[in-house]
Amino acid sequence: MLTNLEHLGLAVKDLEAATALYTKLLGQEPYKREHVASEAVDTVFFQVGGSKIELLAGTSPESAITRYLDKKPEGIHHVAFEVDDIRAEMARLRAEGFILLNEEPKQGADNKLVCFVHPKSANGVLVELCQSIQ
Ligand SMILES: CC[C@H](C(=O)O)C(=O)SCCNC(=O)CCNC(=O)[C@H](O)C(C)(C)COP(=O)(O)OP(=O)(O)OC[C@H]1O[C@@H](n2cnc3c(N)ncnc32)[C@H](O)[C@@H]1OP(=O)(O)O
Ligand SMILES: [Co+2]
């Protein structure tokens, strides 16, 4: 079951400039900065009530964020939902015909197991599922 809108992922070209802007916009400092080697991204997280803003900058040409920004403007890159049991949700979505981008959940940022649903399956939106790692 999807229990919460966990974060909005925003693709940015200049992480420091975007971090300064969101610090002003949200009126608060980020609570975490994290490099995710498996995704070749640097991330900055802000907590906004029960949801989060995740700023993402690619750290290599192969990064999904770099590839995205090669073709599209900065902005909302993905929407992430919290789930209780990511493997059960992956099985449920596969059975419903959704295209998943991962065979297995993988280590994400912010102590999460994550997977992604192809935008083609979700009406043009890249969807991420996140399960907290205890
Ligand atoms: C895990 C760390 C962190 C976390 O929160 O824990 C993250 O969130 S990491 C986030 C970055 N990582 C990912 O996004 C991994 C999943 N993404 C992918 O596998 C690819 O980006 C993929 C498959 C969505 C797109 O790959 P690629 O760019 O190589 O393919 P195309 O350019 O051919 O795109 C295919 C098709 O999809 C459309 N597209 C691409 N990206 C997005 C997007 N973010 N939102 C919506 N649509 C997207 C693209 O426009 C193409 O559509 P078409 O109609 O054919 O033009
Ligand atoms: Co994310």
Side-chain angles (χ1 to χ4, degrees), residues 9-116:
L10 309 185
V12 300
K13 289 177 180 160
D14 180 335
L15 191 55
E16 291 317 310
T19 300
L21 175 69
Y22 271 82
T23 298
K24 265 192 263 179
L25 176 68
L26 302 175
Q28 59 170 288
E29 297 289 330
Y31 72 90
K32 178 178 280 192
R33 290 169 175 265
E34 184 177 355
H35 175 68
V36 182
S38 62
E39 292 291 331
V41 292
D42 283 332
T43 65
V44 172
F45 281 90
F46 294 87
Q47 183 79 43
V48 185
S51 297
K52 299 167 186 171
I53 293 294
E54 175 189 46
L55 304 180
L56 302 116
T59 58
S60 81
E62 296 72 39
S63 167
I65 297 299
T66 307
R67 293 169 56 87
Y68 177 85
L69 291 172
D70 285 345
K71 293 166 258 184
K72 294 178 186 288
E74 292 181 293
I76 298 175
H77 176 262
H78 62 274
V79 59
F81 295 99
E82 186 147 25
V83 295
D84 294 328
D85 180 341
I86 194 166
R87 286 181 170 77
E89 285 307 310
M90 290 174 76
R92 181 181 69 82
L93 290 174
R94 279 197 189 97
E96 296 274 13
F98 289 89
I99 301 165
L100 299 188
L101 292 165
N102 317 64
E103 280 305 309
E104 289 295 322
K106 59 184 176 182
Q107 178 77 38
D110 207 22
N111 293 321
K112 298 279 188 300
L113 272 182
V114 304
C115 74
F116 290 88

